[in-house]
Every structure is written in structure tokens, then in C-alpha cells.
Amino acid sequence: MNKLIWLLVPASIFAQKRETQVKINALTLPLGMVNLGVEHALTDNITLQADGFISPWKSFAGNHLQMYMAFGEGRYYFDKSFSKFYVGPNIGVGFFDIQKWNYWNTDKYQRGVTILTGATIGYQAKLNEHFSLDVFVGGGHSQGNYYGYKKDESGRYEKAENFNKSGEWLIYKGGVMVAYKFGRKKSN
């Protein structure tokens, strides 16, 4: 019986609300970079969001800028779900073929994987019953494992036996999401 209760408690939390938003980042889209998200209300103040970011550019202004990232995020809204200020932790994974900012004026680029852990702060402004704008910025620690290559494809510029490792504190997400909310509060 105790096991059944532990299974029903999370299910009852999710059943409290039937409100979900789908989102697209209006700032990255004109650059040919897609950032989509889905946010679901768990309670009157807590939501969960899953989002992904794709930068398909093998070359952008002469630099490697190909990235694929996925995040899971919890959000606490100080007013109510999908309204006004919020904060929350996030965790993500990314695959990249980029030139790190400090290599932009060189013939070197990096290819690898990263784990991202941090927090997001934002503000969601309601436009009407269904649409809102979600302005946000998120950052934290990035732990990357990568190989370094030369742009002329002549090989690696470093001779690390295994992956190079790089730990950095970064701002790794941000923008203005146009959000569409569907569903409604569950009636009693």
C-alpha cells in the first residue's frame, strides 16, 4: 500500500493543472538558430520546462558555430505560474563544433560534449489569454570534454591522449520566447 501512495503523490501533483505553454525564441530565429520549449504547470507557482537549442551553422562569420543543446528546468513563479518574475535551476547537455570565444581570431576550433548546470531568471509578461512573452537569461557551470582541431583539416592542434577538459562559468541561454498557453485550470 505504501508503494501505491508514493506513486500517486507525484501523479496528483501533475493532475492539479492542465496548463502548458509551447514557446519559440524570437531573438535567435532570425539568425537561423532554433530554440523551442514546452513548459507545464505543476502547481500555482511551480512549473517544469524542457527546451532545446539548435545552431546548425558549420560556419558563421567565418567561425565554427554548430551546437545542439537540451535542458530540463524547474521554475518558481513569485506571483503565479506563467506570470511575472521567476527563478529556477536547470541542467543540460550539449554537443558542439565551435570556436570558443578566445579562439575566434585563430585557425583552431573545438568539437565535443558539455554538461551545463545552473539557474535561470526571467519575467513572463501576459499579452492576452493565450500569448505571453518570456524574457530570460540563464547561466552557470559548463564542463566540456572536447578535441581541438585546425580549420585546414590537417589534424588536431593539441596532443591530449584523451579529451581536453574545460570548466567555465558562462551565460549559456537567454532570449525572448513567444509563448502560447493552452489548457486551463482543472475545475473542482
Side-chain angles (χ1 to χ4, degrees), residues 102-171:
N102 53 338
Y103 285 85
W104 274 39
N105 293 322
T106 72
D107 68 340
K108 301 171 182 173
Y109 68 96
Q110 297 76 33
R111 184 180 296 153
V113 63
T114 187
I115 302 294
L116 305 133
T117 55
T120 301
I121 184 169
Y123 185 88
Q124 201 163 135
K126 185 176 178 178
L127 300 175
N128 61 35
E129 184 180 341
H130 292 286
F131 285 97
S132 60
L133 294 178
D134 182 357
V135 181
F136 68 100
V137 65
H141 193 258
S142 168
Q143 186 62 53
N145 294 301
Y146 65 92
Y147 290 120
Y149 295 94
K150 296 178 184 174
K151 276 187 178 180
D152 65 9
E153 301 299 329
S154 63
R156 290 173 41 194
Y157 65 81
E158 41 70 29
K159 302 300 178 202
E161 194 171 308
N162 294 314
F163 284 107
N164 279 315
K165 296 182 184 340
S166 175
E168 301 166 320
W169 292 93
L170 302 169
I171 293 175

Side-chain angles (χ1 to χ4, degrees), residues 13-14 16-17 19 39-49 73-83 85-89:
I13 291 172
F14 281 98
Q16 296 303 310
K17 298 263 228 175
E19 295 176 297
E39 184 175 4
H40 181 75
L42 300 178
T43 70
D44 287 336
N45 297 89
I46 297 172
T47 67
L48 288 179
Q49 176 168 300
E73 180 170 283
R75 291 181 171 183
Y76 177 80
Y77 285 84
F78 294 98
D79 185 43
K80 61 182 178 175
S81 295
F82 308 123
S83 180
F85 285 103
Y86 64 85
V87 296

